[in-house]
Structure formats: structure tokens, C-alpha cells
């Protein structure tokens, strides 16, 4: 179905929270002031104004929800960047540069982006079997791969394009030779892996780093579109038919789904994305993150 878009001209102003959301209205719209025919008033006033048509009220709510999602999106991005004290780059686009990560991993021993394994273990077990061949992409210096192994998952390959961190992880977990650590770029996996090599791919904030230069989430930069499209194609390539792609992200599903399903690319290219969204969970940690589950075509 078509996703709602933000209008070119729309006036909003934050107010103190209204308390409990009006029955039937999304909580994300609480505390919003909107300009209507009678001037500025609360969302409750606008939505329930008996002189306002149902169609106008619904259209207003859609616009407000989109505005609030953008505010949430911006807040999550700022929080993400602030959670590693002393490690923030001068510019957000540095998160896409290998040099930044090499320098960071040279001094940083461990960091888990967004969530830790215990936060999502129960949800992961809903989609992943202990015997599954698992690929963890953009592993960095996270404990996720080792914690998966400790939890009973035995076939785990972890990749990162930073040779610095892969070298460190091999040394750190040398007593667990079952864990495989490989230098690889998520946009070029077909160079190091055969088609259908994995049952499950897990991405925790890797795609997030590829969209730091996206600009507007409604009309992302071409660089972000190209990088995400390459990554999606490679994920589908390495997964077996009916395989599972799990993505944990700070980006709202409304925006991330547009990337995953190729809404920003021409229809003829979109056909390469042979997978579908099967479920989405919210991880109740911090600001709340998305746990997205895609399945490749059989």
C-alpha cells in the first residue's frame, strides 16, 4: 500500500504532552499542535472537531504522524551518535569510511550498538535454529557472535570490512575456533561467498551506517540508495531460498522498509530484491529499536 508523505507546506508546533492519547489516535501524535481553519489548536481539538470532516481529520492525522516520525528519526540518530563517548567523528558521514572504523577499532576493545544480545535473544530464537548457518554482518567488536555461540548456535561466520577489528576478534576468541572471522564488505559478499551459503543473516546497525548521508528519509541521497541496494542484493545472494534476514535498526520501519523493498529505485532493478517483510518487533530498550525480519523467496 502507498505510504503517506509529508506535505511540502505544513505548520506544526510542539506543546506540552496532552497526557493519555485520545482514544484511537497513535501515541506518536500526543502533544502536537496543528494549524487548522480556526487557527492553532491541539491534535485532539482538530481530530474531534465536529465541524471538521472525517476525511480532513484522517488526512491531518497522517500528516502529523509523519512529522512526528521524522522527529523520532532525528532523535534516534542523534542518540546513536552520542552513545560512544570520545569516539564520535567530526562528521556523520565518517561512519561510512573504513579509515574511521580502523582508527576506532585500534583503540576500542568492545562496543555494542543499539542493543545487546540478552535484549533480543528471545526474539532471535523465534526465527533462528541452533543448527542454522548464521552470518553476522558488520560485526565490529560486538560480543554478539560469541554470545550467540554461548547460547547454543554453532555455525557462525562474522564479517567486517575493517581488517583491524577482524584481526583483533580472531585473537580475542582464539579459544573458540568454531567462530569464523572474515574481512568482507557487505556490498561485495559475492566475492567471498557462494550463493545460498547461509540460512540466516543478522545485521545490527550496519545498514544504519550506510544511510548516515541519506538526507531526507523521504528522498534519500543517491549514495545511500546505491549502497543499501548493493547490500540488499548481497544479503539475498548469500541466503538460501526461504532464508531469513534479521535487521536491528534505529530507523523507523516506515522509512527502512522503503529501502529494503526498493521504493527508491527503478522497477526493473527492484525485481532483484526477491524477499519480503514477514514480521517486525519493537525492542523496548532505550528509545526503542526495530527488529525487522525479511524472508527470501523460495
Amino acid at each position: 500500500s502507498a505510504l503517506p508523505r509529508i506535505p511540502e507546506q505544513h505548520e506544526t508546533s510542539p506543546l506540552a504532552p496532552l497526557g493519555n492519547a485520545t482514544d484511537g489516535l497513535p501515541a506518536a501524535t500526543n502533544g502536537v499542535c496543528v494549524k487548522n481553519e480556526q487557527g492553532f489548536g491541539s491534535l485532539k481539538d482538530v481530530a474531534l472537531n465536529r465541524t471538521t470532516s472525517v476525511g480532513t481529520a484522517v488526512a491531518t492525522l497522517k500528516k502529523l504522524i509523519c512529522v512526528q516520525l521524522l522527529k523520532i528519526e532525528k532523535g534516534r540518530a542523534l542518540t546513536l551518535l552520542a552513545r560512544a563517548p570520545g569516539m564520535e567523528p567530526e562528521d556523520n558521514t565518517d561512519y561510512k569510511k573504513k579509515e574511521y572504523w580502523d582508527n576506532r577499532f585500534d583503540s576500542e576493545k568492545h562496543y555494542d550498538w543499539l542493543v545487546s544480545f540478552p535484549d533480543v535473544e528471545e526474539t532471535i530464537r523465534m526465527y533462528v535454529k541452533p543448527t542454522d548457518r548464521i552470518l553476522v554482518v558488520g560485526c565490529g567488536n560486538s560480543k554478539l557472535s560469541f554470545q550467540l555461540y554461548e547460547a547454543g548456535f554453532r555455525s557462525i561466520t562474522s564479517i567486517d570490512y575493517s581488517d583491524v577489528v577482524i584481526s583483533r576478534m580472531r585473537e580475542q576468541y582464539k579459544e573458540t575456533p568454531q567462530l569464523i572471522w572474515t574481512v568482507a564488505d557487505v556490498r561485495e559478499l559475492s566475492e567471498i561467498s557462494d550463493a545460498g551459503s547461509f540460512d540466516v543473516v543478522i545485521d545490527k546497525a550496519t545498514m544504519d551506517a550506510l544511510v548516515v548521508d541519506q538526507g531526507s528519509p523521504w528522498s534519500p541521497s543517491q549514495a545511500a540508495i546505491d549502497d543499501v541496494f548493493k547490500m540488499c542484493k548481497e544479503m539475498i545472494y548469500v541466503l538460501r531460498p526461504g532464508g531469513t534476514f534479521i535487521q536491528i535498526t534505529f530507523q523507523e520501519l516506515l522509512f527502512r522498509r522503503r529501502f529494503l523493498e526498493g521504493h527508491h529505485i527503478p522497477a526493473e532493478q527492484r525485481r532483484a530484491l526477491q524477499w519480503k517483510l514477514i514480521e517486525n518487533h519493537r525492542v523496548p530498550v532505550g528509545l526503542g529499536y526495530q527488529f525487522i525480519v525479511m524472508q527470501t523467496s523460495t
Side-chain angles (χ1 to χ4, degrees):
S1 61
L3 295 171
R5 297 184 63 85
I6 294 177
E8 292 298 323
Q9 300 293 328
H10 182 66
E11 295 181 76
T12 61
S13 173
L15 291 178
L18 296 173
N20 294 329
T22 301
D23 290 344
L25 301 184
T29 60
N30 275 5
V32 176
C33 181
V34 59
K35 187 176 183 181
N36 63 2
E37 293 83 355
Q38 290 77 40
F40 279 101
S42 72
L43 171 60
K44 182 177 180 180
D45 293 336
V46 173
L48 301 184
N49 189 336
R50 296 183 184 280
T51 64
T52 302
S53 69
V54 173
T56 300
V58 169
T60 299
L61 288 177
K62 286 184 177 180
K63 294 173 185 177
L64 289 170
I65 291 168
C66 291
V67 169
Q68 289 302 96
L69 285 175
L70 279 175
K71 290 179 180 178
I72 293 170
E73 188 84 357
K74 182 177 180 181
R76 281 209 178 86
L78 294 175
T79 300
L80 175 69
L81 303 183
R83 289 180 67 179
M87 295 293 180
E88 303 90 342
E90 293 183 2
D91 188 278
N92 287 359
T93 59
D94 286 348
Y95 282 106
K96 293 186 73 170
K97 299 176 182 177
K98 181 177 180 296
E99 294 78 11
Y100 165 76
W101 292 108
D102 284 344
N103 291 333
R104 175 170 177 155
F105 292 139
D106 193 45
S107 59
E108 183 183 67
K109 293 183 178 180
H110 160 256
Y111 191 78
D112 259 300
W113 293 92
L114 307 185
V115 301
S116 61
F117 177 65
D119 297 323
V120 293
E121 179 179 0
E122 182 177 347
T123 312
I124 285 177
R125 290 188 182 278
M126 293 170 59
Y127 303 99
V128 188
K129 301 189 297 292
T131 55
D132 280 341
R133 298 165 298 168
I134 303 170
L135 175 65
V136 178
V137 298
C139 63
N141 52 20
S142 166
K143 295 179 180 179
L144 175 62
S145 298
F146 180 66
Q147 289 174 319
L148 281 166
Y149 180 81
E150 285 188 312
F153 301 94
R154 287 294 180 260
S155 179
I156 305 167
T157 299
S158 306
I159 66 165
D160 200 288
Y161 73 167
S162 170
D163 53 333
V164 173
V165 78
I166 290 298
S167 178
R168 280 177 170 262
M169 297 302 268
R170 285 172 179 164
E171 176 62 24
Q172 182 175 348
Y173 295 108
K174 62 184 178 182
E175 301 301 322
T176 312
Q178 297 90 340
L179 293 176
I180 299 173
W181 306 93
T182 302
V183 178
D185 190 317
V186 292
R187 296 161 293 189
E188 300 172 351
L189 288 187
S190 54
E191 295 184 3
I192 58 96
S193 181
D194 295 329
S197 299
F198 297 95
D199 303 299
V200 178
V201 173
I202 299 177
D203 164 27
K204 185 160 73 79
T206 299
M207 190 175 288
D208 292 347
L210 293 182
V211 300
V212 290
D213 60 351
Q214 71 171 347
S216 166
W218 293 112
S219 182
S221 67
Q222 193 60 48
I225 292 171
D226 291 344
D227 282 333
V228 170
F229 180 53
K230 290 176 184 176
M231 177 177 173
C232 288
K233 285 198 303 181
E234 297 299 275
M235 300 300 98
I236 293 168
Y237 173 81
V238 299
L239 280 168
R240 65 168 174 81
T244 301
F245 176 68
I246 292 173
Q247 183 169 83
I248 301 167
T249 174
F250 72 83
Q251 192 169 45
E252 284 294 324
L253 180 65
L254 177 67
F255 300 121
R256 181 51 57 88
R257 186 174 185 177
R258 296 175 72 85
F259 275 119
L260 295 172
E261 295 179 343
H263 288 259
H264 304 298
I265 60 177
E268 59 270 18
Q269 289 181 287
R270 198 179 305 155
R271 285 193 286 269
L273 302 181
Q274 295 296 309
W275 60 6
K276 63 181 179 181
L277 175 70
I278 62 170
E279 193 56 82
N280 178 66
H281 305 267
R282 182 171 289 277
V283 184
V285 174
L287 290 172
Y289 302 105
Q290 303 296 322
F291 186 108
I292 300 171
V293 185
M294 306 288 290
Q295 186 177 64
T296 57
S297 301
T298 55

